C-alpha cells in the first residue's frame, strides 16, 4: 500500500454529485417531471392544491411558530449577558419579527431549500433614512431585514467546481434585468438535507409525490364519473347520410352543431337541446312516429364493481404517512389512543428536528456574521436555542419528581431546574427572588446550627 502524503491528503479530487458540478436544481433526480425548476412548480402545486398536504404543512407552520426562541449567553459573566442583550436588540430591530422569518423559512420543507438575503444596517438611530432606521444608536452593525428569495426565482446555484462548495445562487430578475448573483456570505440558506451536497436539498413531499399523482388522477376520474352518473351519457341519433364520408356541406355543418349540443349538454338552469321535429316517412310517403334526430341520456344500472372511496383513503394515508402525520387520519377510521399518541410523538419529534435545523443555521450564518462584522469577541457570542415543541404532561413530571424525592435527590435548591419547571407549567417565576429566599433560608439554617452547637458546648 502506498503511503498517503500530506499534500495528497489535503486535495479535493471528486464531487459529491452532478448538482455540485453544474449547480442545476436537482440534476440527480431520476424523474424528469421533478428535475430542475419543474420540481419547484410541482411541489408548490402539491402544497397549494391538496387538502392533506396543505393541512399537514399548515399544522407544521403553526406549531413551530409557537416555539419560543431563546438567547443563551456564552457564560454567566456580565459581558456575555450584555452581548446576549445586544443580539436580542438586533432581532427586535428588524423590519419583520423573528416569528415571521421562521414562518417563511419553513418553506424550505416544501421546496427542499430556502434562500434569504440578509440586508444589514448601521445602528445610528436615524429614523429619517430607511437604510439607517434603527431604535438604537450604538453605531454597531445590525439587521434591517432577512428577505426571502422565492425558490421559483432561483435560476441556478454557483458552485466551486474544484471543491463542490456552494458559493451563492443566481436569481432570475424581472423587467429586463440580468440575473443577480447573491453570495452565500450575504445569505441565510436552509436545506433539508446535505445528501450528495445537493444545493437544492430534498423536499419532504418527495416520497408523497407518487401517491399524490395517483390520488389526483383518481379524484378526477371520480368527478367525471359522478357527473356522468348524475347527468347520464348523452346519445344522439341522426340519419346515416349525415354521418357518411360523402355528406354534403350542409349535412356536415348540421352534424357539427349536433355534436356540439351533445358535448355541452348538462343539467343546469340554462341547459337545453333544440331538435328539428321532422319524422321519418314510410314507403308510401306517410310520416311515422320515428324522429329523424333524437337525444337520449343513458345512465348506469346497479352498483359499480370498484369502490373508489377505499382507494382514495389509502393514498391519503400514504401521503400523511410519508410526512409522519398519519395521526391526522385516525378520525376517519379506527385507531387506539396508544397508536395515536405514538404517531403524534413521532410527528412532534420530526418538528423538533426542523426547528433545531433552523436555529442551527441562524447561529452559523447570521449570529456569527454579526459578530464578525462588529469585530466582537467569539468568547462572548451567545447562541439561539429553540424551546420545546411537544407539550409536557404535568402529571408525568410530578410523578418523576416524586420518584426523585423518594431516591433522596432534591431539586428545589437548583434555581435553573425550578425555573424550567415553572416555565413548563406556565407559572410566572422570578429566579433572583427565589435565589435570595434560598440564601436567607440557608443563612438561617446555618445560624440555627451554630446556636445549637454553642449550646451543646456550653
Amino acid at each position: 500500500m502506498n503511503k498517503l502524503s500530506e499534500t495528497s491528503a489535503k486535495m479535493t479530487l471528486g464531487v459529491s454529485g452532478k448538482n455540485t458540478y453544474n449547480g442545476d436544481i436537482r440534476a440527480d433526480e431520476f424523474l424528469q417531471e421533478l428535475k430542475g425548476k419543474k420540481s419547484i412548480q410541482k411541489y408548490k402545486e402539491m402544497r397549494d392544491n391538496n387538502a392533506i398536504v396543505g393541512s399537514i404543512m399548515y399544522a407544521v407552520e403553526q406549531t413551530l411558530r409557537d416555539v419560543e426562541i431563546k438567547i443563551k449567553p456564552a457564560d454567566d459573566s456580565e459581558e456575555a449577558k450584555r452581548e446576549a442583550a445586544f443580539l436580542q436588540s438586533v432581532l427586535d430591530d428588524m423590519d419583520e419579527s423573528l416569528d415571521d422569518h421562521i414562518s417563511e423559512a419553513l418553506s424550505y420543507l416544501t421546496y427542499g431549500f430556502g434562500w434569504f438575503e440578509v440586508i444589514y444596517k448601521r445602528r445610528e438611530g436615524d429614523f429619517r433614512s430607511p437604510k439607517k432606521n434603527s431604535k438604537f444608536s450604538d453605531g454597531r452593525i445590525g439587521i434591517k431585514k432577512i428577505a426571502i428569495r422565492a425558490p421559483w426565482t432561483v435560476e441556478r446555484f454557483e458552485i466551486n467546481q474544484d471543491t463542490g462548495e456552494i458559493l451563492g445562487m443566481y436569481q432570475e430578475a424581472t423587467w429586463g434585468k440580468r440575473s443577480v448573483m447573491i453570495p452565500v456570505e450575504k445569505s441565510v440558506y436552509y436545506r433539508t438535507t446535505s445528501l450528495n451536497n445537493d444545493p437544492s436539498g430534498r423536499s419532504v413531499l418527495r416520497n408523497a409525490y407518487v401517491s399524490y399523482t395517483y390520488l389526483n388522477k383518481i379524484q378526477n376520474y371520480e368527478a367525471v364519473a359522478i357527473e356522468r352518473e348524475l347527468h347520464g351519457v348523452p346519445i344522439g341519433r341522426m340519419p346515416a347520410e349525415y354521418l357518411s364520408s360523402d355528406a354534403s356541406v350542409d349535412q356536415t355543418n348540421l352534424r357539427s352543431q349536433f355534436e356540439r349540443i351533445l358535448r355541452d349538454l348538462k343539467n343546469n338552469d340554462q341547459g337545453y337541446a333544440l331538435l328539428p321535429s321532422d319524422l321519418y316517412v314510410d314507403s308510401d310517403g306517410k310520416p311515422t312516429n320515428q324522429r329523424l334526430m333524437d337525444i337520449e341520456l343513458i345512465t348506469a344500472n346497479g352498483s359499480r364493481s370498484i369502490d373508489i372511496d377505499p382507494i382514495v383513503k389509502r393514498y391519503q394515508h400514504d401521503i400523511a404517512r410519508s410526512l409522519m402525520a398519519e395521526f391526522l387520519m385516525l378520525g376517519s377510521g379506527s385507531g387506539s389512543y396508544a397508536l395515536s399518541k405514538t404517531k403524534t410523538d413521532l410527528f412532534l419529534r420530526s418538528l423538533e428536528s426542523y426547528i433545531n435545523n433552523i436555529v442551527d443555521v441562524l447561529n452559523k450564518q447570521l449570529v456569527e456574521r454579526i459578530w464578525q462584522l462588529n469585530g466582537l469577541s467569539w468568547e462572548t457570542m451567545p447562541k439561539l436555542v429553540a424551546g420545546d415543541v411537544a407539550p409536557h404532561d404535568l402529571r408525568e413530571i410530578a410523578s418523576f419528581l416524586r420518584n426523585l424525592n423518594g431516591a433522596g435527590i432534591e431539586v428545589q435548591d437548583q434555581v435553573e431546574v425550578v425555573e424550567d419547571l415553572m416555565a413548563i407549567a406556565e407559572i410566572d417565576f422570578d429566579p433572583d427572588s427565589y435565589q435570595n429566599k434560598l440564601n436567607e433560608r440557608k443563612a438561617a439554617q446555618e445560624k440555627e446550627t451554630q446556636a445549637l452547637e454553642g449550646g451543646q458546648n456550653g
Side-chain angles (χ1 to χ4, degrees):
M1 181 181 293
N2 296 329
K3 184 179 180 181
L4 179 64
S5 65
E6 182 179 349
T7 302
S8 300
K10 294 179 179 179
M11 293 176 60
T12 302
L13 302 178
V15 295
S16 303
K18 194 178 295 183
N19 304 74
T20 58
Y21 181 78
N22 55 27
D24 290 341
I25 299 176
R26 297 188 179 87
D28 289 327
E29 174 61 59
F30 62 89
L31 291 180
Q32 291 298 321
E33 59 269 28
L34 294 181
K35 268 192 173 184
K37 297 187 69 174
K38 292 184 293 185
S39 65
I40 303 297
Q41 298 300 327
K42 179 57 67 175
Y43 292 136
K44 189 174 189 296
E45 173 192 324
M46 292 177 65
R47 160 144 193 171
D48 296 340
N49 224 30
N50 183 269
I52 299 297
V53 175
S55 62
I56 293 173
M57 301 310 294
Y58 180 77
V60 171
E61 177 182 330
Q62 295 304 312
T63 301
L64 294 185
R65 283 196 67 168
D66 195 43
V67 175
E68 182 181 6
I69 306 298
K70 303 177 183 178
I71 297 178
K72 183 178 180 180
D75 50 48
D76 294 332
S77 65
E78 292 299 324
E79 184 180 4
K81 292 179 180 179
R82 284 196 302 269
E83 298 303 352
F86 163 67
L87 178 59
Q88 183 65 61
S89 69
V90 169
L91 299 178
D92 293 340
D93 199 32
M94 296 191 302
D95 289 354
E96 61 179 8
S97 67
L98 185 60
D99 285 346
D100 290 336
H101 170 69
I102 290 177
S103 177
E104 290 181 327
L106 289 171
S107 64
Y108 87 103
L109 299 175
T110 300
Y111 304 107
F113 71 96
W115 199 285
F116 294 80
E117 181 182 357
V118 184
I119 294 91
Y120 297 93
K121 64 181 178 182
R122 178 74 68 176
R123 300 174 13 141
E124 296 181 351
D126 189 350
F127 292 95
R128 294 169 297 179
S129 173
K131 294 182 179 181
K132 299 180 181 180
N133 186 3
S134 175
K135 295 181 289 186
F136 305 93
S137 56
D138 53 15
R140 287 184 170 184
I141 300 295
I143 299 175
K144 178 175 175 55
K145 61 181 176 180
I146 308 175
I148 189 172
R149 300 297 176 244
W152 48 88
T153 65
V154 176
E155 183 178 287
R156 65 180 178 87
F157 296 93
E158 178 68 13
I159 306 294
N160 186 323
Q161 296 186 2
D162 294 330
T163 64
E165 181 183 0
I166 302 171
L167 304 178
M169 73 91 171
Y170 284 90
Q171 185 185 30
E172 292 181 350
T174 56
W175 309 295
K177 295 182 180 180
R178 298 174 60 183
S179 299
V180 179
M181 196 280 199
I182 303 177
V184 71
E185 295 84 4
K186 196 178 180 296
S187 307
V188 172
Y189 166 46
Y190 304 98
R191 55 177 171 169
T192 55
T193 177
S194 57
L195 180 65
N196 296 336
N197 199 27
D198 187 347
S200 54
R202 186 179 189 273
S203 171
V204 299
L205 305 180
R206 177 60 182 86
N207 289 342
Y209 171 72
V210 175
S211 298
Y212 165 80
T213 302
Y214 282 113
L215 176 62
N216 210 29
K217 291 180 180 179
I218 291 173
Q219 288 177 327
N220 288 334
Y221 298 154
E222 185 181 35
V224 174
I226 292 174
E227 181 183 16
R228 291 301 190 186
E229 187 74 19
L230 293 177
H231 300 159
V233 179
I235 301 295
R237 298 183 180 89
M238 62 191 315
E241 58 189 276
Y242 289 82
L243 306 176
S244 64
S245 58
D246 57 349
S248 65
V249 175
D250 291 339
Q251 290 174 333
T252 302
N253 292 336
L254 181 59
R255 173 187 172 182
S256 299
Q257 293 179 8
F258 194 55
E259 290 176 343
R260 186 167 56 253
I261 291 174
L262 293 174
R263 185 183 65 244
D264 299 338
L265 188 61
K266 289 182 180 294
N267 185 17
N268 53 55
D269 55 354
Q270 295 183 356
Y272 68 92
L274 182 63
L275 301 176
S277 60
D278 302 285
L279 303 175
Y280 278 107
V281 295
D282 57 17
S283 58
D284 298 330
K286 296 181 180 180
T288 65
N289 293 328
Q290 186 68 33
R291 296 188 180 90
L292 288 174
M293 296 187 180
D294 194 10
I295 290 178
E296 179 184 356
L297 295 178
I298 299 179
T299 59
N301 295 323
S303 59
R304 300 189 189 95
S305 59
I306 299 177
D307 190 0
I308 295 179
D309 190 65
I311 302 175
V312 170
K313 287 183 178 180
R314 173 161 59 86
Y315 283 120
Q316 288 177 338
H317 274 273
D318 287 343
I319 293 174
R321 190 180 299 116
S322 69
L323 296 170
M324 302 187 74
E326 195 180 9
F327 67 94
L328 293 176
M329 306 294 296
L330 291 176
S332 59
S334 60
S336 64
Y337 170 77
L339 180 61
S340 173
K341 188 176 187 305
T342 301
K343 292 180 179 294
T344 304
D345 290 342
L346 287 174
F347 178 70
L348 294 175
R349 185 65 61 87
S350 66
L351 295 192
E352 287 183 358
S353 67
Y354 296 155
I355 193 64
N356 286 330
N357 184 35
I358 290 178
V359 168
D360 290 342
V361 171
L362 289 174
N363 282 324
K364 188 68 179 177
Q365 301 181 18
L366 191 71
V367 179
E368 285 191 9
R369 286 172 189 155
I370 292 175
W371 247 244
Q372 184 180 20
L373 288 171
N374 286 288
L376 301 175
S377 173
W378 297 113
E379 296 179 355
T380 62
M381 186 181 70
K383 65 177 181 179
L384 301 174
V385 179
D388 295 325
V389 175
H392 296 276
D393 191 331
L394 295 180
R395 290 175 298 182
E396 292 182 357
I397 294 176
S399 177
F400 175 70
L401 291 176
R402 283 195 299 268
N403 293 336
L404 286 180
N405 188 41
I409 303 175
E410 299 181 355
V411 298
Q412 63 267 24
D413 292 339
Q414 303 179 31
V415 181
E416 294 182 355
V417 175
V418 177
E419 183 178 7
D420 291 339
L421 291 173
M422 294 298 104
I424 291 173
E426 298 182 356
I427 298 176
D428 293 335
F429 178 76
D430 186 355
D432 295 333
S433 176
Y434 187 80
Q435 183 65 61
N436 292 334
K437 291 181 180 179
L438 287 178
N439 294 337
E440 293 175 358
R441 186 186 308 165
K442 184 177 180 181
Q445 290 175 351
E446 291 178 352
K447 186 176 181 180
E448 183 178 355
T449 301
Q450 292 176 358
L452 291 174
E453 291 177 353
Q456 292 175 357
N457 294 333

